Amino acid sequence: MQGMLQPHTFKDKTIIITGGGTGLGKSMGKYLLELGANLVITSRKMDVLEKSAAELSDATGGKVLPVACDIRKYEEIENVLRQTEATFGAVHGVLNNAAGNFISPTERLSHRAFDIVVDIVLKGTYYMTLAAGKHWIAKKQPGVFLNIVTTYAWTGSGYVVPSACGKAGVLALTRSLAVEWAKFNIRSNAIAPGPFPTEGAWSRLLPGDLVKKFDPTERVPLKRVGDHQELANLAAYLLSDFSAYINGEVITIDGGEWLRSGGEFSHLEAIPSSMWDMLEKSRGK
Ligand code: HXC
Ligand code: NAP
């Protein structure tokens, strides 16, 4: 649960984090600041961003620029890039972390409900990516993208279908541009986190009593949720030059959760030792 990189890993580097004022974005940002980065945090709510920026720079002594930006609006993203350059001189990395999500049977969704999630997750991510990519290519500058997806980006998942569609698109974006933009020295990678408690995710995905009924730790072979520092360590590594040869990769950090649900016999965990003893004795009879 401790930081793993050298303290000056991000000295003179500037990283933009979408959705950087709350939850996992804020935690990853804090660690990047501890490693010497300048940080730009963006989301729609300026009051939340300003409060988090003050908190983060007080805690780390690092520089944080909050910029309001709805990632569904391309001009607002261009403004983030302009402000970042004006304040810090250059952008070195983009952490596409912002998302929207809620649970619902799909047949109950209106087309507007579908749109709202896909627009944040997929359109927001490709807008940010396109704007930053054009910026780096025009300036002949290297860059790195890190996209936060989910483990259901490749399996799909009922009850969060707009999110699954959006995240699958982000996964395709990650892998496609890893190849196409490598010639510009722009890398693209992704992280697929399992359950990491945040107010944003828990309030929307496990509302009310659901958190007691569907304890996420039960689904994880390691029988615990993730610690934010564990994710921050991985994110910092993938944004840093230490991972310079990793491109187009998606790293899962979920304690084994998604593989367990795919394993055809994983449910045999429910068999007690006494029954295994009986089965062993009756073997071959
Ligand atoms: C069905 C819903 C709904 C729900 C809204 N809608 N909530 N439909 N079930 N729970 C419908 C509305 O009826 C409306 O359609 C349309 O969606 C837009 O509604 P709004 O009121 O404008 O939406 P609002 O609730 O204000 O915003 C939704 C949101 C918001 C944009 C997704 O919750 C948000 O800002 N989220 C950002 C943060 C977030 O979601 N964090 C969690 C990420 S967690 P009609 O037809 O009525 O107009 C995550 C983790 C994944 O991604 C993996 C975990 C392991
Ligand atoms: P969160 O705190 O709710 O983070 C979502 C962030 O996105 C918020 O800061 C929100 O800020 C921002 N955002 C939403 N719509 C936006 C828009 N249109 N423009 C700009 N910013 C917008 O939830 P979280 O759990 O930390 O999630 C962070 C990321 O991790 C997401 O990509 C999520 O899918 C992923 N993830 C989380 C978990 C988990 O267990 N927590 C698991 C797997 C994947 P505003 O409301 O101010 O705009």
Side-chain angles (χ1 to χ4, degrees), residues 91-136:
V91 189
H92 300 93
V94 170
L95 177 41
N96 281 310
N97 164 79
N101 203 354
F102 43 70
I103 47 168
S104 174
T106 308
E107 69 279 11
R108 289 181 180 231
L109 294 174
S110 70
H111 64 283
R112 285 174 294 272
F114 219 112
D115 281 345
I116 201 162
V117 171
V118 175
D119 281 357
I120 299 170
V121 175
L122 180 55
K123 187 195 274 185
T125 303
Y126 67 67
Y127 273 8
M128 184 74 223
T129 303
L130 189 64
K134 281 176 186 282
H135 176 90
W136 284 327

Side-chain angles (χ1 to χ4, degrees), residues 18-25 42-45 48 69-72 96-101 120 148-151 163 167 192-202 204:
T18 66
T22 65
L24 302 181
T42 77
S43 80
R44 294 164 299 178
K45 300 187 193 104
V48 174
C69 165
D70 184 331
I71 50 168
R72 295 166 295 182
N96 281 310
N97 164 79
N101 203 354
I120 299 170
I148 304 299
V149 295
T150 55
T151 50
S163 169
K167 294 288 191 183
F196 283 78
T198 65
E199 167 61 27
W202 259 228
R204 291 175 177 93

Side-chain angles (χ1 to χ4, degrees), residues 3 14 23 54 60 83-84 88 114 181-182 200 209 232 238 246 268 274 276:
T14 300
T60 63
Q83 289 210 38
T84 304
F88 296 122
F114 219 112
W181 283 356
D209 277 352
L238 289 173
I246 298 183
L268 297 190
S274 52
W276 283 119

